[in-house]
Amino acid sequence: MERGVVKLPVRIGILFNDFGTYAVYLGAVCISLLWLKRGLKSQSKIVRRIGKWVLKLHEFSGWAVVVLIVAHSIYFLIKEIHVQYIYSGAASLIILLTIVGYGSLIRKVRNIWMRAIHRYLAIVWIPVLWIHAGKDVIFAAVATFAVVLLVNMLEKASVRSNG
């Protein structure tokens, strides 16, 4: 075997592992909507644009997370069922599917509880993901909070300049 060459089964395993990592970051984009949605009514034009962009991206990112996580889950359920992370991954998958269920019902069942449960499940999902994915969740959370801080700074600057 050549130096630096990885066998195909190992490369496929790395790819499916990466699917889970990509899903964590896309999930962070979805969760950032919790803070950025209020930006739709902002005085700052930049914050309103970011809010609209995130709102459009939220549903697409959510479905992309589901596809990536289902592929990630199926691979590891078949290939590495004995790994210790399988239980936290299964819990994460169950929470994700529940989030998706509530999210898909939000437009059909118009009441305040559908959105609230969808939002609270997303928040509950974070520590379960942290147990399962570790540092990737921490990096995604830091990036999300950085965006939130930037939006808050833009909002305050806009209020000061208009006020």
Side-chain angles (χ1 to χ4, degrees):
M1 180 159 88
E2 293 178 41
R3 186 177 174 168
V5 175
V6 179
K7 291 184 178 182
L8 183 62
V10 174
R11 281 190 287 176
I12 291 172
I14 291 169
L15 174 68
F16 280 95
N17 188 55
D18 289 346
F19 283 175
T21 303
Y22 302 147
V24 166
Y25 287 99
L26 279 173
V29 168
C30 289
I31 288 174
S32 68
L33 177 68
L34 291 172
W35 291 281
L36 296 175
K37 188 175 179 183
R38 72 182 186 145
L40 293 173
K41 297 177 184 175
S42 173
Q43 293 178 355
S44 169
K45 190 174 183 178
I46 295 171
V47 173
R48 281 195 311 271
R49 282 188 181 167
I50 292 170
K52 286 179 185 177
W53 179 73
V54 169
L55 191 58
K56 289 177 184 176
L57 192 61
H58 177 77
E59 190 172 343
F60 172 77
S61 295
W63 285 113
V65 167
V66 171
V67 169
L68 289 169
I69 291 298
V70 167
H72 173 84
S73 300
I74 290 171
Y75 176 81
F76 283 102
L77 282 172
I78 292 170
K79 287 299 215 176
E80 299 189 27
I81 189 77
H82 62 279
V83 176
Q84 66 190 19
Y85 297 109
I86 205 79
Y87 299 112
S88 60
S92 178
L93 178 63
I94 290 167
I95 294 170
L96 174 65
L97 294 177
T98 308
I99 292 169
V100 169
Y102 276 98
S104 62
L105 290 173
I106 284 174
R107 290 191 181 126
K108 294 177 183 122
V109 180
R110 296 260 182 195
N111 74 37
I112 195 166
W113 291 106
M114 296 304 280
R115 283 188 196 284
I117 292 170
H118 180 72
R119 187 178 313 120
Y120 295 138
L121 282 170
I123 292 168
V124 167
W125 193 40
I126 296 168
V128 175
L129 274 179
W130 182 36
I131 292 167
H132 181 69
K135 70 180 183 322
D136 290 323
V137 175
I138 293 168
F139 292 141
V142 167
T144 300
F145 287 123
V147 169
V148 170
L149 288 173
L150 178 64
V151 168
N152 284 336
M153 288 172 28
L154 288 170
E155 184 71 28
K156 287 178 182 178
S158 174
V159 168
R160 272 186 256 142
S161 67
N162 292 336

